[in-house]
Amino acid sequence: MRSLVGFVSVVVAASVYLYSLSLYLPAAPRRQIAAGNHAGTESELKFPSDLEELRELAEFLQFYKTEHTTYVLLLFCSAYLYKQSFAIPGSSFLNILAGAIFGTYQGVLLASVLTTVGSTMCFLLSQAFGKHYIVNLFPDKVSMLQRKVDENQDCLFFFLLFLRFFPMTPNWFLNMSAPIVNIPITFFFCSVFIGLLPYNFICVQTGVMLSEVSSLDDLFSWERLLQLLAIACMALVPGALIRRLTVRIGNNLVSGK
């Protein structure tokens, strides 16, 4: 019960902070108003749920970024960390938004850092408050993940990279269950940053061309999914080599060579 109260307190505090930040909206950029461009001044700050809302929010934040870069950056980072920390679906929307607002290079860097930090915060929240509840809610999944982690102890980092590269992996579940199956936080942190780079890049690149996107289905075409799958398979190669080398060394020691 104490863990549940602690978690709810964290959620409430984070929600109040994010809501308060969204209310503190600076005055509209003077240069844009002088030029007669009032686009976005009446927009409502909320998480987008479809492509049209995403375009409106991108236009709104681009409008304010001209004179209020710090506020837009703080708001974006806060919203991103909120979603990632509490395993709320929809990170792809924010990755696309990063590309639309900040461009390719800054967007990829920002999305990668925020994904890693937010996932690590989710890891720590689960470790502090959620172990018992996650095991009760997903007993079979946790058991299967524990078995796979145990089987890949000698090449655990590369196994984690494979899971992150693989396009169908439920990252929200991996973030929450990682402390339960005793994945070291250093391996977790590095595997998230490296393993989600391709996914973040694809989303950010889509955001740069947001005006040309006709459907979010374009985000994950079969070609892109196959590319991510190929990268995931490549991550298994070092682990297989390490395992083979370990077996060979073990056999040599047993035979006395």
Side-chain angles (χ1 to χ4, degrees):
M1 185 63 183
R2 184 179 299 176
S3 60
L4 181 60
V5 171
F7 178 72
V8 170
S9 299
V10 173
V11 173
V12 170
S15 301
V16 169
Y17 161 74
L18 187 59
Y19 180 70
S20 301
L21 184 63
S22 69
L23 291 180
Y24 178 69
L25 194 63
R30 294 182 296 276
R31 286 175 295 176
Q32 297 286 353
I33 292 178
N37 182 4
H38 299 273
T41 54
E42 301 299 327
S43 295
E44 181 183 355
L45 284 175
K46 62 178 182 179
F47 289 114
S49 58
D50 55 41
L51 184 59
E52 188 57 35
E53 289 183 1
L54 185 62
R55 284 201 181 101
E56 290 177 2
L57 183 59
E59 182 181 2
F60 174 74
L61 293 177
Q62 285 169 343
F63 175 74
Y64 270 88
K65 184 174 174 284
T66 55
E67 290 186 8
H68 303 292
T69 304
T70 303
Y71 172 79
V72 171
L73 180 62
L74 178 61
L75 180 65
F76 179 83
C77 291
S78 300
Y80 202 114
L81 291 177
Y82 182 87
K83 266 186 171 286
Q84 283 291 117
S85 299
F86 301 125
I88 301 172
S91 62
S92 58
F93 281 105
L94 295 184
N95 287 341
I96 294 171
L97 194 60
I101 300 171
F102 302 104
T104 301
Y105 299 110
Q106 291 182 356
V108 170
L109 178 61
L110 193 60
S112 298
V113 170
L114 291 174
T115 299
T116 306
V117 174
S119 297
T120 304
M121 291 171 69
C122 183
F123 177 106
L124 295 173
L125 284 171
S126 174
Q127 188 177 54
F129 304 115
K131 286 187 176 183
H132 174 72
Y133 300 103
I134 293 167
V135 170
N136 286 341
L137 285 171
F138 310 104
D140 295 335
K141 289 184 177 180
V142 171
S143 214
M144 181 183 67
L145 182 60
Q146 181 69 73
R147 187 169 62 253
K148 292 297 182 183
V149 168
D150 292 341
E151 290 173 359
N152 292 275
Q153 277 297 325
D154 52 349
C155 52
L156 182 58
F157 179 71
F158 295 105
F159 174 67
L160 293 175
L161 274 185
F162 166 76
L163 291 180
R164 295 298 181 175
F165 283 137
F166 191 70
M168 303 305 176
T169 298
N171 286 297
W172 61 271
F173 174 73
L174 192 55
N175 294 343
M176 292 191 299
S177 59
I180 300 171
V181 298
N182 300 315
I183 293 175
I185 194 169
T186 50
F187 279 15
F188 177 88
F189 185 92
C190 295
S191 65
V192 172
F193 184 81
I194 299 171
L196 291 180
L197 269 174
Y199 170 80
N200 289 336
F201 177 78
I202 289 173
C203 292
V204 169
Q205 198 175 41
T206 301
V208 174
M209 304 179 294
L210 186 58
S211 60
E212 302 172 18
V213 177
S214 57
S215 169
L216 289 177
D217 292 337
D218 300 339
L219 182 60
F220 291 112
S221 62
W222 281 108
E223 181 182 357
R224 283 177 170 172
L225 287 175
L226 289 174
Q227 288 173 349
L228 290 174
L229 185 58
I231 294 171
C233 291
M234 288 175 62
L236 290 177
V237 174
L241 293 175
I242 291 171
R243 181 172 295 175
R244 185 173 180 180
L245 182 62
T246 302
V247 170
R248 180 176 295 179
I249 291 172
N251 291 337
N252 290 340
L253 289 173
V254 170
S255 61
K257 294 181 180 180

